Amino acid sequence: MRASEQALVVRDLRKRYPKVEALKGVSIALPKGEIWGLLGPNGSGKSTLLKCVAGLLQPDGGEIEVLGLPPSREAKAEIAFVPEVDTLYRWMTVRQVLDFTAAFYQDWQEETAGELLEFMRLDPEAKVSSLSKGMRARLKLILALARTAPLILLDEPFSGIDPSSRDRIVEGIIRQFKGEEQTMIISTHAVGDTEQLFDAVVFLDEGTINLQGNAEDLRTRWGKSINDLFKEVFA
Amino acid sequence: MNIDFSTSIPIYLQIIEEFKRQIATGALKPGDKVPSQRELAAQLKVNANTVQRAYREMEILGLVETLRGQGTFIRQVQEIVEETRSEMLTDLVDDFVRSMQALGLSREKTLELVGVRFQELQSGKEVEEK
C-alpha cells in the first residue's frame, strides 16, 4: 500500500515565462484509478502544467505531490509522460523504437507492448519516417501504455490525427488502463468524440481553472455534454 | 451495443436505458449473460468506472445479477420488462402526438389517420409519400 490515496496533488501552481504567466495558481487533486481530461484551447497552460508535473519544468510557486512524493528522481520514475512534440527518431523502425524505449524503463512490459503493437495495427518493420501522423500517435501511446507507471500523462494525443487512429487510441487506453493501480491525465483542445473517456475534467483557461468536476455530475448539473459545455465556456 | 454519447444525459444512464430497451424488445432475455464491465467499456469506448456505475445501478434496480466467478446475467423480472415497455410506448406516443400537434392536426384527424395507416400497413399495401 502506498502512503497516499491521491495519485497527484497540485497546490497553487504558478509558472511564468518571460512574456506570459502560463499558470496563475492551479490546484487539482486526482484520486487513484481515474482518467482525467485536461481541457482548454491552445495556450491555456495545459502543456506547462503537465511538464511541471512530469518534472521537466521548474514551477515558480506552489507544490506538486506525485503519490505522496515531492518532485524527485523517485517521483519521476512513477510517471510516464508522452509529450505533444514528436520525439521519435525518424530513421528507426517501429521495433527499434520499442527496444530503444524498453532499455530506459524498468517497468517496461514486453508482452503488453506486443499486444498493443497488434491492436494498433502497426508494422514492427515500418520506418518511423514512413508512418502517418495518426500511426506515429499510436506508436507514442504504446510507449506509455507498455509501462506499469502509476501516473500517465498524455499531452494532446488526439491532435491532428485521423478519426480511425483517434478511435484506436481511445479503445487502446480503455483496454490497457489498469484500474486502481493507474491514473491518467489526457490534455486536449478538441473534446469531440473523446469525452466518454474521462472520469473527471478540468477546464483550463489562460492559466486558471474555471471549471472542474466529475464528468457525469457536470452533465447532470448543466444538462449538457462536456463537449457542449466546453464550447460554451471557450466560445 | 451501440450508443450515441453526444447527448447531455449522463453516460451511465444511457447505458442503463440501452439495456432496458434491449430487455423490453426481447433482444436480451432473462438468464442471458451480459459482457464483462471491461469488455463493454472497450466495446463502447467508455471509461470503465462509468460502466461499473451503470452495472451497479442495474443491480440495485434488479435488472441484472452478478454471480461470483460466473459473470453478470439478466434477471427474470417480468414487471421490469413490462414497466420498460410501457415507458417506451409512452415516449413513442408522446413524440408522435407532439409532432401531430406541431403540424396542427386535431385529435380526431390524428386518430383517423392512424386508423387508415394501420389498415394499410397491416394489409401490406405500399403507400407513396406525398
Side-chain angles (χ1 to χ4, degrees), chain A residues 33 35 167 170-171 174-177 196-199 216 219-220 223-225, chain B residues 5-12 38-39 41-42 44-47 49-50 53:
Chain A
I35 301 177
D167 287 353
V170 169
E171 195 179 338
I174 289 163
R175 283 191 183 279
Q176 277 305 321
F177 186 68
Q196 71 275 13
L197 190 54
F198 306 126
D199 283 289
E216 296 280 58
R219 287 185 194 102
T220 307
K224 290 190 175 74
S225 67
Chain B
F5 293 113
S6 59
T7 60
S8 56
I9 304 159
I11 288 169
Y12 82 98
R38 216 185 159 75
E39 185 47 48
L44 296 177
K45 299 186 179 70
V46 166
N47 185 301
N49 293 327
T50 307
R53 185 167 173 184

Side-chain angles (χ1 to χ4, degrees), chain A residues 127-147:
Chain A
K127 274 230 159 64
V128 170
S129 57
S130 73
L131 299 177
S132 67
K133 189 152 193 243
M135 284 295 177
R136 289 204 303 275
R138 295 181 191 205
L139 178 55
K140 276 164 64 180
L141 185 77
I142 297 178
L143 303 185
L145 291 185
R147 293 177 54 192

Side-chain angles (χ1 to χ4, degrees), chain A residues 206-234:
Chain A
E206 294 181 359
T208 309
I209 291 174
N210 58 14
L211 188 67
Q212 70 171 311
N214 175 279
E216 296 280 58
D217 291 348
L218 290 174
R219 287 185 194 102
T220 307
R221 175 147 40 112
W222 298 91
K224 290 190 175 74
S225 67
I226 300 299
N227 194 23
D228 286 344
L229 263 179
F230 181 82
K231 283 183 194 157
E232 203 163 283
V233 169
F234 295 107

Side-chain angles (χ1 to χ4, degrees), chain A residues 69-115:
Chain A
L69 302 167
S72 58
R73 271 182 75 98
E74 208 186 346
K76 248 179 160 168
E78 308 277 15
I79 300 171
F81 173 62
V82 180
E84 185 184 3
V85 291
D86 219 329
T87 53
L88 302 168
Y89 289 113
R90 301 180 71 84
W91 51 267
M92 283 187 178
T93 64
V94 169
R95 165 61 53 203
Q96 284 170 327
V97 171
L98 297 182
D99 290 346
F100 179 74
T101 311
F104 279 90
Y105 300 106
Q106 297 201 322
D107 60 356
W108 183 263
Q109 308 293 309
E110 193 56 44
E111 202 185 318
T112 309
E115 284 167 20

Side-chain angles (χ1 to χ4, degrees), chain B residues 27-76:
Chain B
L28 282 173
K29 294 185 181 59
D32 280 357
K33 191 175 180 176
V34 302
S36 71
Q37 295 180 17
R38 216 185 159 75
E39 185 47 48
L40 188 67
Q43 207 181 316
L44 296 177
K45 299 186 179 70
V46 166
N47 185 301
N49 293 327
T50 307
V51 174
Q52 187 182 38
R53 185 167 173 184
Y55 275 39
R56 201 165 51 217
E57 289 282 324
M58 288 198 295
E59 279 190 25
I60 294 169
L61 291 170
L63 287 174
V64 298
E65 62 184 335
T66 300
L67 302 177
R68 228 187 148 77
Q70 293 181 58
T72 301
F73 300 86
I74 301 294
R75 277 185 63 182
Q76 187 131 22

